[in-house]
């Protein structure tokens, strides 16, 4: 649910306001149903829940030829929640859906914040690999040999992810991507899209 929540909040914020159909269409165009396992119905549930939690506001608008449509806009709490979810997804291991969602919303963070949280992920992966190496060197003899293959598989995944995270941190340090504190950041909604008081 966190990956869906992050992506839904992020799309609403970055668009300056969106209807459920627009959020769903945008996520489908990104292929999020594959890499974040988002189902179309979960988008509408996430929008309603985020509004109930105070992360989004709801504004009824007349429909073209049918019932009224709901326009959602991110609240300041919602924008803060996006940032916290991206941070959490970058540092949390073993949750590929949340990592993918966090990468999609990476520019919501300042450069230094992104580097710090990717670096935390690197440290966690390194620590987990130490534990895995210890386990592989001194396996529990009660565990069937073929089950030990899972540890080998996980260790390979972790090593690959570790190299990727180090590479991402380096690219960020070298100025890759437009981040929240960079000119032209996509974190700030352009004036013409902001909700009028």
């Amino acid at each position: 649910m966190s990956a869906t929540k992050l992506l839904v909040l992020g799309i609403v914020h970055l668009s300056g306001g969106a209807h459920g159909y627009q959020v769903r269409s945008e996520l489908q165009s990104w292929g999020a149903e594959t890499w974040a396992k988002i189902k179309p119905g979960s988008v509408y549930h996430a929008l309603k829940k985020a509004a109930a939690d105070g992360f989004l506001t709801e504004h009824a608008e007349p429909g073209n030829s049918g019932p009224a449509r709901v326009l959602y806009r991110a609240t300041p709490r919602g924008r803060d929640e996006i940032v916290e979810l991206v941070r959490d997804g970058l540092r949390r291991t073993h949750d590929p859906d949340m990592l993918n969602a966090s990468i999609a919303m990476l520019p919501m963070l300042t450069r230094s914040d992104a580097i710090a949280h990717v670096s935390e992920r690197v440290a966690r992966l390194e620590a987990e690999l130490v534990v895995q190496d210890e386990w592989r060197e001194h396996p529990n003899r009660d565990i069937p040999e073929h089950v030990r293959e899972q540890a080998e598989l996980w260790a390979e995944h972790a090593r690959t992810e570790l190299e990727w995270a180090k590479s991402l941190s380096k690219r960020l340090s070298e100025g890759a991507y437009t981040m929240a504190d960079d000119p032209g950041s996509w974190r700030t909604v352009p004036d013409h899209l902001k909700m009028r008081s």
Side-chain angles (χ1 to χ4, degrees):
M1 179 60 179
S2 291
T4 302
K5 178 182 179 181
L6 171 55
L7 291 169
V8 165
L9 286 173
I11 295 295
V12 170
H13 171 64
L14 295 172
S15 65
H19 302 102
Y21 177 79
Q22 293 168 312
V23 174
R24 191 182 89 186
S25 295
E26 186 68 18
L27 290 172
Q28 284 177 329
S29 77
W30 291 13
E33 68 279 358
T34 302
W35 51 261
K37 296 181 183 74
I38 292 180
K39 297 180 180 27
S42 66
V43 169
Y44 297 102
H45 174 74
L47 287 165
K48 287 286 187 195
K49 175 94 171 85
D53 292 343
F55 299 131
L56 299 175
T57 59
E58 298 174 297
H59 305 277
E61 292 185 332
N64 292 341
S65 59
R69 300 184 308 170
V70 177
L71 177 70
Y72 295 93
R73 293 190 192 275
T75 64
R77 266 189 76 212
R79 290 187 292 276
D80 291 346
E81 182 72 358
I82 295 166
V83 169
E84 286 306 314
L85 288 169
V86 173
R87 288 173 176 159
D88 182 55
L90 289 177
R91 66 181 172 250
R92 184 191 322 168
T93 58
H94 307 290
D95 189 345
D97 297 340
M98 194 60 188
L99 175 60
N100 284 321
S102 295
I103 293 166
M105 294 296 152
L106 184 64
M108 291 294 295
L109 301 182
T110 64
R111 186 168 305 282
S112 62
D113 200 16
I115 292 168
H117 287 87
V118 172
S119 296
E120 187 175 337
R121 181 179 205 87
V122 166
R124 287 180 179 195
L125 287 166
E126 288 173 338
E128 289 174 13
L129 280 168
V130 167
V131 171
Q132 283 291 325
D133 287 343
E134 181 70 24
W135 187 87
R136 287 193 338 261
E137 287 175 23
H138 308 287
N140 179 339
R141 299 293 174 207
D142 294 333
I143 297 174
E145 289 179 306
H146 63 279
V147 174
R148 294 181 203 154
E149 283 300 319
Q150 293 171 322
E152 294 297 329
L153 176 62
W154 184 90
E156 281 304 311
H157 281 289
R159 280 192 283 277
T160 301
E161 187 178 320
L162 177 61
E163 290 310 309
W164 166 81
K166 287 179 177 178
S167 177
L168 175 59
S169 183
K170 182 176 186 276
R171 286 191 304 278
L172 287 166
S173 296
E174 293 170 347
Y177 313 116
T178 302
M179 303 303 289
D181 51 345
D182 292 335
S185 166
W186 61 307
R187 181 178 181 187
T188 305
V189 177
D191 285 340
H192 72 279
L193 291 177
K194 288 184 180 172
M195 184 173 72
R196 304 290 177 228
S197 304

